[in-house]
Amino acid sequence: MPARLVFLLVLLSAFMVVPSAVDLLSEWLWFNEVEYTGIFTRTLGTKLTLGAVVFLCAFAGLALNLRLALRGFRQPYTLFPGNGEIQAVVLTPQQLQRLGTGIAALMALFLGAFASNEWLTWLQFRHAVPFDQADPLFGRDIGFYVFSLPFIDLVRYLALAVVMLSLLGSATVYVISNQLGIDPARGPIISHDARRHLGLIIAGLFLLLAWGAYLDIPRVLTTPAGTVHGASYVDVMLRVPVFRVLLAAALVGAALSAISALTPRNRPLMAAIGLYALISVGGNVGAVALQRLVVTPDEQQREAPYLAHNIAATRQAFALDDVEEREVSGDATLALADIENNRDTIDNVRLWDHEPLLDTFGQLQEIRTYYDFASVDNDRYFIDGEYRQIMLSSRELNSDSLPNRSWVNERLQYTHGFGVAMGPVNQVTQEGLPVLFIGDLPPTSSVDLEVEQPSIYFGELSNDYVIVNTGTDEFHYPQGDDNVSTRYDGAGGVEMSSLLRRLLFAARFRAYEILVSSQLTSESRIIYHRNIIDRVTTIAPFLRYDTDPYLVISEGRLVWMLDAYTTSGLYPYATPASNRINYIRNAVKIVVDAYDGTTTFYLAEPDEPIARTLQAIFPGFLQPLDAMPEDLRRHIRYPEGLFTLQTSIYSTFHMTNPAVFYNREDQWEVPVIDGEQMQPYYTMMRLPGEPRAEFIQMLPVTPRGKNNMAAWMVARSDGDQYGKILVFQFPKQKVVFGPSQIVARVNQDPDISPQLTLWDQQGSEVIQGTLLVIPIEEALLYIRPLYLRASGGRIPELKQVIVAYQNEIAMEETLDGALSRLFGRGTGAPPARALPAAALLADAGVTLPEPGAPGDPSDGLVSQAGEHYRRALQAQRDGDWAQYGEEIEQLGEVLEQLGSGPILD
């Protein structure tokens, strides 16, 4: 081989191998640092072992068959005849054998690489824990479908690939060597050696087809079949018997192929192929005929028992079989006493939405341009002895926003975020801004909750590596015109104690500065995988993660909590969700320290089979939930992603009667508000029939295609009630206003709609917050906050709160004010709707004395104001903006006569 070609091959190998080796070694050091080396070694060892075994088996099969086929070449073979400029390429029989061996090795290498990526399939098969639940048709344990069937399929597909490649490769060789072909006069020509060899390969192919038919029988329980996901009437009555016949036909075909291989007759092979094709095609035609002639005319009755299996399995797979359903009237009459008796619920109504609050935090609490608030988290704390819902956001450092983005600044100096902004969900300052319990730099607290370690090295924004304990002091937080510096004293990060390690990380992160910088010392540590999702995914890629980690203040430290799921798409008879999952459990809770990165996985469901299997594969990986500090356990919450998925599934599968389910008579859907589907929200409330308020997640649902309320679903998060799902259903014969109907009524309200229009005309942006459905006793309150963002401004201010109850709507500056307007009539509170003129006067800052008081405006002026207002409103509805402006101007003149100045500045 020419030296230049050898050099190019070595260079190509280096480009392929060296980066992989650098990543592998740096990951090994990182897994050592986070103390999950067992996962790394087990995963790597299994990949190498599985890949090697498959490579050797595939290579043996492919090389043997190609060598057998190549025996027909007894003379040199001209691969390329050449021409005047290029020399002919002629291969001797020995060279052809080596070429065939090389081709076999290359194909086996691809198969081995593919198999190595299925390492988890093999480990789950080997360490499978049974579900102790049998499928309703064949009586197999669910674990067979989740753990065993995928691995058996993998083995069969790999064997099928080897056989097919051997067949194609050998046939090609026999054609080239003129041992296989078609003579126009005599028909097919095949040598004795080719017949025997190819016949035996085809016999092996039939054996694999028989194996596939055997596996297709249980597989019908995991595939869709029209109205049923899983085995339907046609599957049970026809397809399963056809698979059994096909199994027998494939075995017969294998025998006939062997006979053809050992005799000079071709008919047995042709008969084998024809028999298998006839049964396969006939079975499909018969299935279509049975469906159309027998099932379709009476589908509901025919599919009823299989629909029952589908419904039961889907509810079990999505943990919906224990949902507690309760009936509520929905039209109970509320009084002020009921509001006061549910003060825990009212005092924790979430008036701040995530987006407006995030914008407000960004303007008031970022303090420097390089700080960002990535998200807002809902949680609950005991604040000064009171159980309260709060909203919390971490102040993380965004290196992309640094004024001077040098390597030293990004990697050595500006290394971490600092502190949090935290406040109650329902309190507002006089300026319409959120009340803060914890804020500023350094963090100050006005309550009995302190942050003693506010540094955030691990978070939602932290994607890049940083190096700590260097010759450059780290920026801690700004203080006046100066900056406070710090040095990292946590356990996070990989030591850079040698030149080789610096060289390794310089190659890993493609940063020569790591190798040459004089700021790095033997005590320096490099911290990477700092993003929460990236960190846990790197440690345990076999779990599925919730997308919303949330921050918790625990014993003075900042700690991230994250939910992880065990999932499958092979639960028999269970209908999959849109993401193809048809089994899910929130089996794992994860805690990540924001300062040192300590990551702990806790087993939340000790009896969950997939989690138990993972625990058997990786001993010590999952810690018992009881080992989680008690303070952190109080902050476990039901994950929003799981509840959203379960709500979607339950909207259909709450119908347990097969006839009702078939006709979708009572299907629900999540309401759409302002063009977007409502999302579950966390809140604290006292559920109907419960003694105290608790932290829950809830979501209303409506009948499909209708706007009235059908039910509302709740997932509980506190104490022993954690994980329980309740559904409060309204009587079907009653109409309870749904969210979209309430929004429409608010938008058409003669008092509220003009006010929103006026704000818009004055240049302010009106932001309508999340419509909250708040159950009180057996009635519903709808609450929606309104925010105003001044023209050209960025800070949204909470200005009004809208409350709707039955046929009444009130809008006031505070929630208590709106509730008083609705329920406080007997105590001298104003009526649910103020007179239009009075409402407009109040919005303009005009204060009218009580009737009869000195200075009381004349009844005539008040009447004029009301008349101008009504005319303006009518002009607005008619789209006559000239008339509207004229009436508003005249209204302003009347107001001036009342001594209050114009309504519009």
Side-chain angles (χ1 to χ4, degrees):
M1 186 176 292
R4 181 177 297 177
L5 180 58
V6 172
F7 174 76
L8 290 176
L9 289 175
V10 171
L11 189 62
L12 179 62
S13 300
F15 274 115
M16 296 176 62
V17 173
V18 171
S20 299
V22 167
D23 289 342
L24 187 67
L25 186 54
S26 59
E27 290 296 275
W28 160 261
L29 293 174
W30 184 80
F31 271 89
N32 276 328
E33 182 253 316
V34 297
E35 299 182 350
Y36 285 102
T37 312
I39 294 179
F40 181 86
T41 55
R42 188 66 185 273
T43 301
L44 180 61
T46 303
K47 285 182 176 181
L48 294 175
T49 302
L50 189 61
V53 169
V54 171
F55 169 78
L56 292 175
C57 293
F59 175 71
L62 292 168
L64 175 64
N65 282 289
L66 287 177
R67 289 181 71 86
L68 288 174
L70 287 167
R71 289 186 307 172
F73 287 96
R74 293 181 173 84
Q75 299 296 327
Y77 175 74
T78 302
L79 185 65
F80 179 71
N83 52 40
E85 299 179 357
I86 302 177
Q87 186 177 358
V89 179
V90 180
L91 300 178
T92 65
Q94 293 78 12
Q95 290 175 323
L96 286 172
Q97 291 284 357
R98 288 196 291 269
L99 178 62
T101 302
I103 293 174
L106 183 62
M107 291 188 291
L109 185 64
F110 281 114
L111 291 177
F114 170 79
S116 68
N117 291 325
E118 299 296 323
W119 59 273
L120 185 60
T121 303
W122 155 244
L123 288 177
Q124 287 186 328
F125 169 77
R126 182 181 177 188
H127 297 276
V129 173
F131 276 66
D132 293 329
Q133 292 178 339
D135 77 74
L137 202 61
F138 305 117
R140 294 178 183 266
D141 186 85
I142 304 299
F144 168 79
Y145 300 91
V146 175
F147 301 127
S148 300
L149 189 57
F151 178 72
I152 297 172
D153 275 338
L154 173 65
V155 174
R156 177 178 167 271
Y157 289 139
L158 289 172
L160 193 61
V162 172
V163 170
M164 289 299 298
L165 290 172
S166 297
L167 180 61
L168 292 173
S170 299
T172 301
V173 171
Y174 284 126
V175 170
I176 294 174
S177 62
N178 297 319
Q179 297 184 67
L180 177 65
I182 298 178
D183 187 281
R186 295 185 300 167
I189 298 175
I190 183 169
S191 69
H192 173 73
D193 290 342
R195 176 190 301 277
R196 181 175 58 186
H197 185 195
L198 296 179
L200 292 176
I201 294 178
I202 293 174
L205 177 60
F206 271 112
L207 290 176
L208 291 176
L209 292 176
W211 193 12
Y214 173 76
L215 295 177
D216 284 338
I217 295 174
R219 203 192 319 277
V220 296
L221 271 66
T222 63
T223 54
T227 59
V228 180
H229 188 90
S232 64
Y233 179 89
V234 172
D235 291 326
V236 175
M237 296 301 171
L238 183 63
R239 283 200 174 94
V240 168
V242 166
F243 285 141
R244 290 181 174 134
V245 174
L246 205 59
L247 167 62
L251 293 175
V252 171
L256 293 175
S257 298
I259 292 174
S260 286
L262 301 176
T263 64
R265 293 178 295 175
N266 294 330
R267 289 184 179 178
L269 178 60
M270 296 298 104
I273 296 174
L275 178 64
Y276 187 87
L278 177 64
I279 295 174
S280 179
V281 174
N284 290 331
V285 172
V288 172
L290 183 63
Q291 177 69 35
R292 292 184 177 180
L293 300 178
V294 177
V295 176
T296 301
D298 192 21
E299 189 173 41
Q300 179 178 320
Q301 293 299 322
R302 299 286 185 183
E303 301 288 15
Y306 311 107
L307 283 172
H309 296 329
N310 182 203
I311 294 168
T314 302
R315 289 169 65 98
Q316 290 172 357
F318 287 95
L320 296 170
D321 49 332
D322 292 328
V323 170
E324 180 182 350
E325 296 183 351
R326 298 181 185 178
E327 294 288 338
V328 290
S329 65
D331 59 357
T333 301
L334 294 181
L336 185 60
D338 298 309
I339 302 298
E340 295 302 325
N341 290 337
N342 288 270
R343 181 49 60 180
D344 287 346
T345 298
I346 298 301
D347 287 345
N348 285 284
V349 171
R350 196 191 78 193
L351 298 181
W352 282 103
D353 272 6
H354 289 189
E355 291 302 322
L357 186 60
L358 200 61
D359 291 343
T360 303
F361 281 170
Q363 291 299 304
L364 301 180
Q365 284 291 309
E366 282 183 1
I367 301 176
R368 291 291 187 271
T369 58
Y370 39 78
Y371 285 129
D372 268 350
F373 288 97
S375 65
V376 177
D377 299 315
N378 278 276
D379 205 348
R380 69 282 197 202
Y381 290 80
F382 280 96
I383 303 291
D384 294 333
E386 185 179 355
Y387 197 43
R388 304 191 64 174
Q389 183 180 355
I390 62 90
M391 301 185 82
L392 175 70
S393 186
S394 60
R395 185 185 293 105
E396 298 192 45
L397 189 138
N398 185 352
S399 59
D400 292 339
S401 299
L402 288 173
N404 180 12
R405 294 188 59 190
S406 66
W407 183 81
V408 171
N409 280 347
E410 290 190 51
R411 309 302 179 193
L412 309 186
Q413 189 167 24
Y414 292 87
T415 57
H416 59 278
F418 194 79
V420 299
M422 171 183 170
V425 296
N426 65 326
Q427 287 185 243
V428 186
T429 66
Q430 292 183 350
E431 296 79 17
L433 301 176
V435 171
L436 291 180
F437 286 161
I438 300 177
D440 300 330
L441 292 174
T444 58
S445 175
S446 60
V447 295
D448 61 349
L449 188 66
E450 299 288 343
V451 179
E452 298 172 4
Q453 179 49 271
S455 299
I456 302 174
Y457 285 84
F458 302 86
E460 295 181 89
L461 295 180
S462 306
N463 284 310
D464 298 325
Y465 73 93
V466 295
I467 305 175
V468 297
N469 295 339
T470 66
T472 301
D473 287 339
E474 298 174 53
F475 167 78
H476 205 31
Y477 61 89
Q479 191 174 60
D481 294 332
D482 297 322
N483 292 332
V484 177
S485 300
T486 188
R487 292 187 66 80
Y488 183 72
D489 62 357
V494 177
E495 294 181 351
M496 303 182 68
S497 53
S498 67
L499 182 61
L500 286 178
R501 289 197 175 193
R502 292 176 64 171
L503 179 61
L504 171 69
F505 289 115
R508 161 70 185 261
F509 296 108
R510 293 172 176 80
Y512 70 91
E513 294 91 345
I514 296 177
L515 185 63
V516 302
S517 175
S518 61
Q519 299 296 315
L520 275 59
T521 69
S522 59
E523 296 180 355
S524 298
R525 290 173 172 266
I526 184 168
I527 304 177
Y528 49 107
H529 290 309
R530 299 195 301 139
N531 176 270
I532 300 301
I533 300 295
D534 172 60
R535 188 173 187 83
V536 297
T537 303
T538 303
I539 294 174
F542 38 79
L543 294 172
R544 186 180 288 259
Y545 295 93
D546 196 85
T547 57
D548 183 29
Y550 59 101
L551 193 65
V552 173
I553 302 173
S554 178
E555 298 178 352
R557 297 183 71 88
L558 299 179
V559 177
W560 294 97
M561 300 190 74
L562 179 63
D563 293 279
Y565 309 113
T566 49
T567 63
S568 175
L570 295 172
Y571 196 97
Y573 264 121
T575 299
S578 57
N579 55 8
R580 300 183 181 179
I581 291 175
N582 74 347
Y583 171 87
I584 187 169
R585 290 293 186 274
N586 179 211
V588 180
K589 302 287 186 180
I590 307 165
V591 173
V592 181
D593 189 285
Y595 183 67
D596 60 26
T598 301
T599 305
T600 310
F601 293 76
Y602 294 97
L603 181 59
E605 295 191 30
D607 298 328
E608 202 282 314
I610 298 180
R612 291 173 61 198
T613 299
L614 293 174
Q615 184 74 326
I617 296 171
F618 306 108
F621 160 58
L622 297 173
Q623 304 300 315
L625 191 62
D626 291 342
M628 181 185 290
E630 182 179 354
D631 185 58
L632 282 177
R633 287 206 303 273
R634 286 196 290 265
H635 294 280
I636 290 176
R637 69 183 193 185
Y638 201 82
E640 183 177 331
L642 177 58
F643 186 58
T644 302
L645 180 63
Q646 288 176 314
T647 303
S648 173
I649 297 296
Y650 195 79
S651 295
T652 299
F653 285 88
H654 70 278
M655 298 178 287
T656 55
N657 184 308
V660 176
F661 181 88
Y662 175 82
N663 293 305
R664 298 296 197 268
E665 295 177 12
D666 191 26
Q667 191 169 10
W668 300 339
E669 63 184 6
V670 177
V672 174
I673 303 296
D674 299 331
E676 295 184 2
Q677 193 175 65
M678 289 187 70
Q679 298 297 315
Y681 52 89
Y682 293 100
T683 186
M684 282 186 63
M685 70 169 60
R686 183 169 70 84
L687 296 173
E690 298 297 329
R692 63 182 62 87
E694 58 184 289
F695 189 66
I696 65 166
Q697 191 175 178
M698 72 170 293
L699 185 65
V701 291
T702 61
R704 185 176 183 182
K706 298 182 179 179
N707 294 325
N708 59 288
M709 186 82 85
W712 47 282
M713 294 186 64
V714 167
R716 308 172 81 171
S717 292
D718 283 353
D720 295 337
Q721 304 298 325
Y722 175 84
K724 295 182 179 179
I725 297 179
L726 304 179
V727 176
F728 294 87
Q729 290 186 257
F730 300 108
K732 293 180 175 59
Q733 65 272 19
K734 292 184 179 179
V735 176
V736 178
F737 288 134
S740 60
Q741 292 171 319
I742 294 296
V743 170
R745 290 181 58 214
V746 169
N747 291 337
Q748 296 170 6
D749 185 86
D751 298 335
I752 298 175
S753 179
Q755 182 62 72
L756 300 182
T757 302
L758 284 175
W759 280 327
D760 281 333
Q761 289 179 342
Q762 292 171 356
S764 297
E765 178 188 0
V766 179
I767 304 171
Q768 299 195 38
T770 300
L771 181 69
L772 303 175
V773 183
I774 307 296
I776 301 292
E777 303 301 338
E778 292 201 1
L780 294 180
L781 291 180
Y782 285 93
I783 300 176
R784 191 172 203 181
L786 291 182
Y787 312 92
L788 283 186
R789 195 197 312 265
S791 177
R794 293 185 58 187
I795 303 180
E797 300 174 1
L798 178 59
K799 285 299 184 184
Q800 300 286 316
V801 179
I802 299 173
V803 179
Y805 165 66
Q806 292 185 351
N807 292 316
E808 298 180 288
I809 302 175
M811 182 175 75
E812 291 294 326
E813 291 185 358
T814 65
L815 174 60
D816 284 340
L819 292 172
S820 296
R821 183 176 289 276
L822 288 174
F823 299 105
R825 300 178 188 177
T827 61
R833 281 200 177 89
L835 290 173
L840 196 55
L841 292 173
D843 288 328
V846 177
T847 303
L848 293 179
E850 294 296 326
D856 182 30
S858 69
D859 291 338
L861 289 177
V862 173
S863 299
Q864 290 180 40
E867 184 62 27
H868 286 304
Y869 174 82
R870 281 186 286 272
R871 289 176 182 172
L873 185 61
Q874 184 61 47
Q876 180 194 45
R877 291 170 179 159
D878 297 339
D880 188 348
W881 298 108
Q883 180 66 28
Y884 175 83
E886 182 179 339
E887 294 295 338
I888 289 295
E889 183 178 353
Q890 294 181 29
L891 175 59
E893 294 175 358
V894 174
L895 294 180
E896 287 180 353
Q897 295 179 44
L898 289 172
S900 301
I903 184 173
L904 298 177
D905 292 332

